[in-house]
Amino acid sequence: MLKDVVAVVGDQIAAFELGTVSEVFGLDRSDAGLPTYDFAVAGLRPGPVPTTSGWSMLVEHGLERLATADLVAIPAWPTGTAEAPPAELVDALHAAAERGAWLLSVCSGSFLLAAAGLLDGRRATTHWKYTDLLATRHPRVTVDPDVLYVVDGRVISSAGTAAGIDACLHLVRLEQGGAVANAIARRMVVPPHRNGGQAQYVEAPVPDLTDCDELAELLDWVTAHLDEPLTVDALAARALMSPRTFARRFRALTGTTPHRWLLDQRLLLAERLLEDTTLGIDVIADRAGLGSADSLRHHFAGRRGISPQTYRRTFRRSAAA
DNA sequence: CAGACTACCCGCCAAG
DNA sequence: TTCTTGGCGGGTAGTC
Protein backbone atom coordinates (compact mmCIF):
# COMPACT_ATOMS: atom_id res chain seq x y z
CA MET A 1 0.00 0.00 0.00
CA LEU A 2 1.41 3.36 -1.01
CA LYS A 3 -0.11 6.12 1.07
CA ASP A 4 2.41 7.87 3.28
CA VAL A 5 5.11 9.62 1.24
CA VAL A 6 7.96 11.58 2.80
CA ALA A 7 10.65 13.51 0.96
CA VAL A 8 13.89 13.94 2.90
CA VAL A 9 16.04 17.03 2.56
CA GLY A 10 19.41 17.91 4.04
CA ASP A 11 21.03 21.27 4.71
CA GLN A 12 20.10 22.48 1.25
CA ILE A 13 17.07 21.78 -0.92
CA ALA A 14 17.18 21.10 -4.65
CA ALA A 15 13.88 22.77 -5.48
CA PHE A 16 13.15 21.18 -8.82
CA GLU A 17 14.05 17.64 -7.75
CA LEU A 18 11.88 18.01 -4.67
CA GLY A 19 9.25 19.42 -7.00
CA THR A 20 9.13 16.27 -9.16
CA VAL A 21 8.28 14.15 -6.12
CA SER A 22 5.92 16.76 -4.73
CA GLU A 23 4.06 17.10 -8.02
CA VAL A 24 3.40 13.36 -8.32
CA PHE A 25 2.57 12.65 -4.67
CA GLY A 26 1.73 16.01 -3.15
CA LEU A 27 -1.19 17.11 -5.31
CA ASP A 28 -4.80 16.25 -4.53
CA ARG A 29 -6.28 14.79 -7.71
CA SER A 30 -9.20 13.12 -6.01
CA ASP A 31 -11.54 15.12 -8.25
CA ALA A 32 -10.44 12.73 -10.99
CA GLY A 33 -10.86 9.71 -8.75
CA LEU A 34 -7.12 9.39 -8.29
CA PRO A 35 -5.58 8.28 -4.99
CA THR A 36 -4.37 10.89 -2.54
CA TYR A 37 -1.18 10.58 -0.52
CA ASP A 38 -0.13 11.87 2.87
CA PHE A 39 2.79 13.86 1.54
CA ALA A 40 5.32 15.57 3.77
CA VAL A 41 8.79 17.04 3.59
CA ALA A 42 11.14 16.16 6.45
CA GLY A 43 14.54 17.60 7.27
CA LEU A 44 17.24 16.90 9.79
CA ARG A 45 15.25 19.27 12.00
CA PRO A 46 12.20 21.45 11.35
CA GLY A 47 12.81 25.03 10.25
CA PRO A 48 13.76 27.13 7.26
CA VAL A 49 16.13 25.47 4.79
CA PRO A 50 17.80 27.30 1.89
CA THR A 51 17.34 26.00 -1.64
CA THR A 52 20.19 25.77 -4.12
CA SER A 53 18.32 28.45 -6.05
CA GLY A 54 18.85 31.03 -3.34
CA TRP A 55 15.49 31.16 -1.58
CA SER A 56 14.31 29.22 1.45
CA MET A 57 11.53 26.79 2.31
CA LEU A 58 9.99 26.09 5.67
CA VAL A 59 10.41 22.41 6.50
CA GLU A 60 7.80 21.41 9.04
CA HIS A 61 8.96 17.95 10.05
CA GLY A 62 12.08 16.35 11.49
CA LEU A 63 13.34 12.84 10.83
CA GLU A 64 10.74 11.25 13.12
CA ARG A 65 8.28 11.82 10.26
CA LEU A 66 9.96 8.97 8.37
CA ALA A 67 8.72 6.42 10.90
CA THR A 68 5.40 5.81 9.14
CA ALA A 69 6.46 6.38 5.53
CA ASP A 70 5.58 3.85 2.81
CA LEU A 71 7.91 5.73 0.50
CA VAL A 72 10.97 7.76 1.42
CA ALA A 73 12.13 9.96 -1.44
CA ILE A 74 15.52 11.67 -1.57
CA PRO A 75 15.41 14.48 -4.12
CA ALA A 76 19.15 15.24 -4.10
CA TRP A 77 22.19 15.08 -1.87
CA PRO A 78 25.52 16.94 -1.89
CA THR A 79 28.14 15.10 -3.95
CA GLY A 80 31.06 17.34 -3.03
CA THR A 81 31.97 15.48 0.12
CA ALA A 82 32.55 11.84 1.03
CA GLU A 83 31.65 12.70 4.61
CA ALA A 84 29.18 10.27 6.17
CA PRO A 85 25.61 11.54 6.42
CA PRO A 86 24.17 12.12 9.92
CA ALA A 87 23.79 8.85 11.82
CA GLU A 88 20.16 9.52 12.78
CA LEU A 89 19.32 9.94 9.09
CA VAL A 90 21.08 6.71 8.15
CA ASP A 91 19.25 4.92 10.96
CA ALA A 92 15.89 6.29 9.84
CA LEU A 93 16.52 5.15 6.27
CA HIS A 94 17.54 1.66 7.40
CA ALA A 95 14.48 1.44 9.60
CA ALA A 96 12.28 2.39 6.66
CA ALA A 97 13.95 -0.19 4.42
CA GLU A 98 13.57 -2.93 7.03
CA ARG A 99 9.93 -2.01 7.43
CA GLY A 100 9.46 -2.68 3.72
CA ALA A 101 9.07 0.94 2.67
CA TRP A 102 10.10 2.03 -0.81
CA LEU A 103 13.22 4.18 -1.16
CA LEU A 104 13.49 6.46 -4.17
CA SER A 105 16.33 8.79 -5.06
CA VAL A 106 16.36 11.55 -7.66
CA CYS A 107 19.54 12.88 -9.23
CA SER A 108 22.35 12.97 -6.65
CA GLY A 109 20.03 11.52 -3.99
CA SER A 110 21.56 8.13 -4.73
CA PHE A 111 24.72 9.35 -2.98
CA LEU A 112 22.82 9.36 0.31
CA LEU A 113 21.42 5.87 -0.30
CA ALA A 114 24.91 4.66 -1.22
CA ALA A 115 26.55 6.31 1.78
CA ALA A 116 23.95 4.65 4.00
CA GLY A 117 24.94 1.30 2.51
CA LEU A 118 21.47 0.80 1.09
CA LEU A 119 22.76 0.34 -2.45
CA ASP A 120 25.44 -2.23 -1.61
CA GLY A 121 25.21 -5.10 -4.08
CA ARG A 122 22.43 -3.32 -5.94
CA ARG A 123 22.12 -1.71 -9.34
CA ALA A 124 21.58 2.03 -9.28
CA THR A 125 21.92 5.19 -11.31
CA THR A 126 22.30 8.94 -10.85
CA HIS A 127 22.71 12.07 -12.96
CA TRP A 128 25.08 11.36 -15.87
CA LYS A 129 27.48 13.97 -14.51
CA TYR A 130 27.97 11.90 -11.35
CA THR A 131 27.85 8.26 -12.51
CA ASP A 132 31.66 7.91 -12.50
CA LEU A 133 31.94 9.52 -9.09
CA LEU A 134 29.24 7.29 -7.64
CA ALA A 135 30.93 4.15 -9.00
CA THR A 136 34.35 5.24 -7.72
CA ARG A 137 33.22 6.32 -4.29
CA HIS A 138 30.94 3.32 -3.78
CA PRO A 139 32.52 0.30 -5.49
CA ARG A 140 29.88 -2.08 -4.08
CA VAL A 141 27.22 -0.33 -6.14
CA THR A 142 26.66 -1.41 -9.74
CA VAL A 143 26.14 1.89 -11.51
CA ASP A 144 24.13 1.89 -14.73
CA PRO A 145 24.94 5.17 -16.50
CA ASP A 146 22.48 4.84 -19.37
CA VAL A 147 19.00 4.56 -17.89
CA LEU A 148 16.39 6.99 -16.62
CA TYR A 149 15.82 4.94 -13.49
CA VAL A 150 16.67 1.59 -11.93
CA VAL A 151 14.45 -0.58 -9.75
CA ASP A 152 16.31 -3.06 -7.55
CA GLY A 153 14.20 -4.64 -4.87
CA ARG A 154 12.31 -1.84 -3.17
CA VAL A 155 14.97 0.73 -4.01
CA ILE A 156 14.55 3.00 -7.03
CA SER A 157 17.22 5.40 -8.16
CA SER A 158 16.75 7.82 -11.01
CA ALA A 159 18.93 9.94 -13.23
CA GLY A 160 19.12 13.71 -13.36
CA THR A 161 16.31 16.02 -12.26
CA ALA A 162 13.38 15.36 -14.58
CA ALA A 163 14.00 11.61 -14.55
CA GLY A 164 12.56 11.77 -11.04
CA ILE A 165 9.16 12.13 -12.67
CA ASP A 166 9.72 8.95 -14.65
CA ALA A 167 10.78 7.08 -11.53
CA CYS A 168 7.83 8.31 -9.46
CA LEU A 169 5.36 7.42 -12.21
CA HIS A 170 6.93 4.00 -12.53
CA LEU A 171 6.46 3.39 -8.82
CA VAL A 172 2.82 4.46 -9.08
CA ARG A 173 2.46 2.07 -12.01
CA LEU A 174 3.91 -0.78 -9.95
CA GLU A 175 1.82 -0.07 -6.87
CA GLN A 176 -1.42 1.24 -8.29
CA GLY A 177 -1.53 0.19 -11.90
CA GLY A 178 -1.02 1.70 -15.32
CA ALA A 179 -4.38 3.47 -15.42
CA VAL A 180 -3.54 5.55 -12.34
CA ALA A 181 0.02 6.29 -13.52
CA ASN A 182 -1.20 7.29 -16.96
CA ALA A 183 -3.89 9.53 -15.52
CA ILE A 184 -1.35 11.34 -13.31
CA ALA A 185 0.97 11.69 -16.31
CA ARG A 186 -1.85 13.20 -18.34
CA ARG A 187 -2.54 15.71 -15.57
CA MET A 188 1.14 16.61 -15.45
CA VAL A 189 1.31 16.82 -19.25
CA VAL A 190 4.28 14.46 -19.39
CA PRO A 191 4.65 11.21 -21.32
CA PRO A 192 3.48 8.19 -19.27
CA HIS A 193 6.63 6.34 -20.22
CA ARG A 194 9.84 7.64 -21.76
CA ASN A 195 12.08 5.32 -23.69
CA GLY A 196 15.80 5.33 -23.98
CA GLY A 197 18.55 6.13 -21.54
CA GLN A 198 19.94 9.40 -20.35
CA ALA A 199 22.77 9.04 -22.88
CA GLN A 200 20.52 10.57 -25.49
CA TYR A 201 20.52 13.77 -23.48
CA VAL A 202 24.29 13.67 -23.08
CA GLU A 203 25.10 13.20 -26.74
CA ALA A 204 22.80 15.90 -28.06
CA PRO A 205 22.22 18.43 -25.31
CA VAL A 206 21.15 21.06 -27.84
CA PRO A 207 19.69 19.38 -30.90
CA ASP A 208 19.93 21.36 -34.11
CA LEU A 209 16.63 23.15 -34.49
CA THR A 210 16.38 22.62 -38.23
CA ASP A 211 16.72 18.88 -37.66
CA CYS A 212 14.13 19.20 -34.97
CA ASP A 213 11.57 20.76 -37.26
CA GLU A 214 12.08 18.36 -40.13
CA LEU A 215 12.21 15.24 -38.05
CA ALA A 216 9.67 16.17 -35.39
CA GLU A 217 7.06 16.50 -38.10
CA LEU A 218 7.97 13.08 -39.42
CA LEU A 219 7.83 11.53 -35.95
CA ASP A 220 4.34 12.96 -35.45
CA TRP A 221 3.24 11.53 -38.75
CA VAL A 222 4.68 8.12 -37.91
CA THR A 223 2.95 7.90 -34.54
CA ALA A 224 -0.34 8.54 -36.31
CA HIS A 225 0.30 5.78 -38.88
CA LEU A 226 1.71 2.98 -36.75
CA ASP A 227 -0.75 0.46 -38.17
CA GLU A 228 0.79 0.80 -41.63
CA PRO A 229 3.84 -1.09 -42.81
CA LEU A 230 6.78 1.32 -42.59
CA THR A 231 10.37 0.81 -43.65
CA VAL A 232 13.29 2.96 -42.64
CA ASP A 233 14.07 3.68 -46.27
CA ALA A 234 10.53 4.93 -46.83
CA LEU A 235 10.78 7.17 -43.76
CA ALA A 236 14.07 8.56 -45.04
CA ALA A 237 12.44 9.30 -48.39
CA ARG A 238 9.55 11.01 -46.62
CA ALA A 239 12.08 13.14 -44.75
CA LEU A 240 13.81 13.92 -48.05
CA MET A 241 17.12 12.48 -46.89
CA SER A 242 19.35 9.65 -47.92
CA PRO A 243 18.96 6.62 -45.63
CA ARG A 244 22.45 7.10 -44.24
CA THR A 245 21.96 10.77 -43.36
CA PHE A 246 18.51 10.04 -42.02
CA ALA A 247 19.90 7.42 -39.65
CA ARG A 248 22.57 9.83 -38.45
CA ARG A 249 20.22 12.78 -37.88
CA PHE A 250 17.74 10.47 -36.24
CA ARG A 251 20.27 9.26 -33.72
CA ALA A 252 21.50 12.77 -33.03
CA LEU A 253 17.97 13.86 -32.20
CA THR A 254 16.48 10.87 -30.43
CA GLY A 255 19.50 8.89 -29.22
CA THR A 256 18.21 5.74 -30.86
CA THR A 257 17.86 4.28 -34.34
CA PRO A 258 14.79 4.68 -36.55
CA HIS A 259 13.77 1.05 -36.41
CA ARG A 260 14.24 0.72 -32.65
CA TRP A 261 12.26 3.91 -32.09
CA LEU A 262 9.50 2.68 -34.37
CA LEU A 263 9.32 -0.59 -32.46
CA ASP A 264 9.17 1.29 -29.17
CA GLN A 265 6.28 3.41 -30.42
CA ARG A 266 4.46 0.28 -31.58
CA LEU A 267 4.95 -1.37 -28.20
CA LEU A 268 3.72 1.75 -26.38
CA LEU A 269 0.58 1.73 -28.50
CA ALA A 270 0.15 -1.98 -27.83
CA GLU A 271 0.50 -1.31 -24.10
CA ARG A 272 -2.17 1.38 -24.21
CA LEU A 273 -4.52 -0.97 -26.06
CA LEU A 274 -3.82 -3.77 -23.58
CA GLU A 275 -4.61 -1.44 -20.70
CA ASP A 276 -7.59 0.41 -22.10
CA THR A 277 -9.37 -2.18 -24.26
CA THR A 278 -10.33 -5.83 -24.28
CA LEU A 279 -9.19 -6.34 -27.86
CA GLY A 280 -7.52 -9.65 -28.66
CA ILE A 281 -3.75 -9.90 -28.93
CA ASP A 282 -3.84 -10.40 -32.68
CA VAL A 283 -6.05 -7.34 -33.21
CA ILE A 284 -3.74 -5.27 -31.04
CA ALA A 285 -0.69 -6.54 -32.92
CA ASP A 286 -2.37 -5.50 -36.14
CA ARG A 287 -3.35 -2.04 -34.91
CA ALA A 288 0.15 -1.42 -33.61
CA GLY A 289 1.69 -2.51 -36.90
CA LEU A 290 3.52 -5.39 -35.30
CA GLY A 291 2.50 -7.82 -38.00
CA SER A 292 1.45 -10.77 -35.89
CA ALA A 293 0.58 -11.79 -32.37
CA ASP A 294 3.79 -13.82 -32.39
CA SER A 295 5.80 -10.74 -33.16
CA LEU A 296 4.02 -8.77 -30.41
CA ARG A 297 4.74 -11.50 -27.86
CA HIS A 298 8.33 -11.73 -29.00
CA HIS A 299 9.04 -8.02 -28.54
CA PHE A 300 7.09 -7.80 -25.34
CA ALA A 301 9.19 -10.54 -23.86
CA GLY A 302 12.36 -8.89 -25.12
CA ARG A 303 11.70 -5.33 -23.95
CA ARG A 304 9.36 -5.73 -21.01
CA GLY A 305 10.30 -9.20 -19.85
CA ILE A 306 6.67 -10.34 -19.64
CA SER A 307 3.95 -11.57 -21.96
CA PRO A 308 1.20 -9.24 -23.22
CA GLN A 309 -1.38 -11.20 -21.22
CA THR A 310 0.63 -10.85 -18.03
CA TYR A 311 1.05 -7.16 -18.75
CA ARG A 312 -2.68 -6.77 -19.20
CA ARG A 313 -3.41 -8.62 -15.95
CA THR A 314 -0.83 -6.60 -14.04
CA PHE A 315 -1.65 -3.13 -15.28
CA ARG A 316 -5.31 -3.38 -16.12
CA ARG A 317 -6.93 -1.63 -13.23
CA SER A 318 -10.38 -0.38 -12.79
CA ALA A 319 -9.68 3.14 -13.97
CA ALA A 320 -10.88 4.51 -10.68
CA ALA A 321 -11.51 7.75 -12.51
C1' DC B 1 11.36 -23.82 -32.52
C1' DA B 2 14.37 -23.89 -36.79
C1' DG B 3 15.75 -22.05 -40.84
C1' DA B 4 15.69 -18.94 -44.82
C1' DC B 5 15.17 -14.54 -46.14
C1' DT B 6 15.10 -9.45 -45.39
C1' DA B 7 15.89 -5.20 -43.29
C1' DC B 8 18.62 -2.63 -40.37
C1' DC B 9 22.59 -0.09 -39.04
C1' DC B 10 27.33 1.05 -37.97
C1' DG B 11 32.25 1.48 -39.25
C1' DC B 12 34.66 2.88 -43.07
C1' DC B 13 35.88 5.90 -46.77
C1' DA B 14 35.82 8.78 -50.79
C1' DA B 15 33.78 13.02 -52.52
C1' DG B 16 32.04 17.59 -52.08
C1' DT C 1 41.83 21.97 -43.46
C1' DT C 2 37.67 20.42 -41.27
C1' DC C 3 33.02 18.95 -41.56
C1' DT C 4 29.08 16.71 -43.70
C1' DT C 5 27.26 13.58 -46.92
C1' DG C 6 25.98 9.21 -48.74
C1' DG C 7 27.37 4.61 -50.80
C1' DC C 8 29.13 -0.04 -49.43
C1' DG C 9 30.20 -4.25 -46.73
C1' DG C 10 28.77 -7.45 -43.56
C1' DG C 11 27.38 -8.76 -38.90
C1' DT C 12 23.00 -8.63 -36.36
C1' DA C 13 18.17 -8.55 -35.57
C1' DG C 14 13.45 -9.02 -37.25
C1' DT C 15 10.02 -11.46 -40.14
C1' DC C 16 7.77 -15.18 -42.19
Side-chain angles (χ1 to χ4, degrees):
Chain A
M1 178 67 183
L2 187 57
K3 179 70 182 168
D4 194 315
V5 178
V6 179
V8 182
V9 299
D11 293 330
Q12 265 204 324
I13 293 176
F16 186 87
E17 286 78 354
L18 174 59
T20 63
V21 179
S22 169
E23 184 73 15
V24 173
F25 296 109
L27 278 190
D28 183 349
R29 300 185 179 90
S30 54
D31 61 321
L34 291 166
T36 55
Y37 306 93
D38 297 328
F39 179 76
V41 177
L44 301 173
R45 65 202 70 78
V49 179
T51 68
T52 51
S53 318
W55 41 278
S56 293
M57 298 174 88
L58 184 62
V59 174
E60 297 177 39
H61 301 278
L63 292 176
E64 70 284 347
R65 181 63 183 78
L66 271 62
T68 56
D70 304 313
L71 163 65
V72 177
I74 300 144
W77 200 254
T79 57
T81 168
E83 210 174 291
E88 15 353 330
L89 175 53
V90 173
D91 290 346
L93 290 174
H94 275 276
E98 277 156 33
R99 215 172 49 236
W102 283 95
L103 300 174
L104 184 150
S105 68
V106 182
C107 199
S108 53
S110 42
F111 281 79
L112 173 57
L113 290 179
L118 287 159
L119 292 178
D120 286 355
R122 291 187 187 276
R123 289 173 56 242
T125 194
T126 185
H127 191 292
W128 55 264
K129 241 174 81 183
Y130 303 129
T131 48
D132 285 346
L133 180 62
L134 183 64
T136 310
R137 194 179 288 170
H138 301 286
R140 300 185 64 186
V141 181
T142 308
V143 178
D144 191 339
D146 187 25
V147 290
L148 290 175
Y149 54 85
V150 174
V151 186
D152 191 329
R154 288 179 86 78
V155 182
I156 303 178
S157 53
S158 57
T161 49
I165 299 171
D166 299 272
C168 289
L169 287 178
H170 184 74
L171 178 56
V172 170
R173 183 174 286 266
L174 289 174
E175 284 281 317
Q176 286 155 336
V180 172
N182 291 350
I184 295 176
R186 264 196 297 278
R187 278 292 196 95
M188 291 176 65
V189 200
V190 298
H193 178 78
R194 284 198 289 166
N195 280 303
Q198 52 178 329
Q200 58 187 309
Y201 305 102
V202 182
E203 285 173 10
V206 183
D208 189 313
L209 282 178
T210 53
D211 287 359
C212 243
D213 284 352
E214 293 165 8
L215 281 183
E217 203 174 312
L218 176 75
L219 299 193
D220 283 346
W221 180 86
V222 170
T223 49
H225 294 82
L226 289 173
D227 56 321
E228 298 171 19
L230 302 168
T231 66
V232 174
D233 279 1
L235 297 184
R238 183 167 266 274
L240 304 176
M241 292 178 206
S242 75
R244 190 68 187 85
T245 297
F246 176 65
R248 264 198 286 252
R249 296 269 191 92
F250 199 96
R251 174 171 279 284
L253 183 68
T254 68
T256 185
T257 67
H259 189 246
R260 261 201 286 273
W261 179 86
L262 179 58
L263 248 179
D264 281 335
Q265 297 308 308
R266 294 190 147 145
L267 284 174
L268 284 175
L269 175 57
E271 282 180 352
R272 280 226 313 275
L273 293 173
L274 284 168
E275 289 171 18
D276 301 343
T277 74
T278 55
L279 295 171
I281 301 295
D282 47 349
V283 177
I284 289 177
D286 194 56
R287 291 229 191 142
L290 281 158
S292 68
D294 252 8
S295 178
L296 171 60
R297 273 189 285 270
H298 175 252
H299 286 110
F300 235 84
R303 313 263 173 139
R304 304 286 187 264
I306 55 175
S307 72
Q309 291 292 7
T310 308
Y311 180 90
R312 175 171 264 170
R313 267 197 305 278
T314 311
F315 291 126
R316 188 128 204 282
R317 274 297 189 99
S318 52

